[in-house]
């Protein structure tokens, strides 16, 4: 993929009509626009949603580093769960407690209540 000029290829990626599309949050944003769902009504709220997606990716990449990167060990896993993860748990609790619910932006974004069961 690098030889084809694709910048920093990673998973996940999509190809649509033969065109490469990379990186998790930009892919989600593209699909949201295409289907007209999971979008906020204004740029400020969309920026907020993007920031939450970025926080999720930060958390996920720390999880990958702690568990799957060469050199990871029970100690790195433990450090992730004890020292790093609570910061994200608290952040998610803060986000969800600010919302009138059932979703981050009230009734509209994200998924339908029956399909999303965040506690
Ligand atoms: N910033 C990228 C990170 C994606 C990423 O690092 N994916 C990992 C898999 S979890 C990957 O493809 N690593 C390179 C490899 O495995 O060769 C995104 O948002 O999608």
């Amino acid at each position: 993929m690098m030889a084809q000029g694709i910048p920093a290829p990673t998973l996940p990626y999509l190809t649509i009509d033969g065109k490469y599309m990379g990186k998790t949050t930009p892919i989600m944003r593209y699909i949201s626009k295409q289907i007209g769902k999971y979008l906020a009504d204004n740029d400020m709220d969309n920026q907020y949603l993007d920031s939450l997606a970025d926080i999720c990716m930060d958390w996920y990449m720390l999880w990958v580093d702690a568990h799957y990167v060469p050199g990871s060990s029970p100690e790195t896993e433990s450090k992730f769960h004890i020292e790093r993860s609570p910061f994200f748990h608290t952040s998610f609790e803060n986000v969800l407690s600010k919302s009138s619910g059932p979703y981050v932006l009230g009734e509209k974004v994200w998924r339908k209540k029956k399909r999303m069961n965040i506690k």
Side-chain angles (χ1 to χ4, degrees):
M1 293 182 116
M2 291 285 271
Q4 295 164 2
I6 290 167
T10 51
L11 295 171
Y13 73 90
L14 289 180
T15 55
I16 297 180
D17 296 331
K19 289 192 178 154
Y20 172 90
M21 196 174 294
K23 310 304 175 191
T24 307
T25 304
I27 290 171
M28 290 191 322
R29 175 65 55 211
Y30 176 84
I31 292 171
S32 293
K33 285 182 179 166
Q34 290 294 305
I35 65 176
K37 288 189 173 184
Y38 314 119
L39 299 168
D41 294 332
N42 60 72
D43 289 344
M44 190 68 87
D45 283 347
N46 275 320
Q47 191 284 333
Y48 180 59
L49 294 177
D50 283 343
S51 78
L52 298 180
D54 204 58
I55 291 167
C56 290
M57 287 308 294
D58 287 349
W59 188 40
Y60 170 69
M61 293 315 293
L62 287 171
W63 178 82
V64 169
D65 280 350
H67 293 81
Y68 294 106
V69 165
S72 62
S73 64
E75 287 74 32
T76 61
E77 289 181 30
S78 176
K79 188 173 171 155
F80 168 77
H81 289 290
I82 293 168
E83 295 179 19
R84 308 303 300 272
S85 223
F87 170 79
F88 294 92
H89 296 175
T90 302
S91 299
F92 298 141
E93 282 172 17
N94 288 341
V95 166
L96 293 171
S97 67
K98 269 191 349 194
S99 165
S100 56
Y103 315 109
V104 170
L105 293 181
E107 290 292 329
K108 221 176 141 191
V109 180
W110 294 322
R111 291 164 140 198
K112 289 182 181 171
K113 189 175 187 179
K114 284 181 184 164
R115 302 178 80 193
M116 185 123 179
N117 190 17
I118 294 179
K119 295 189 177 175

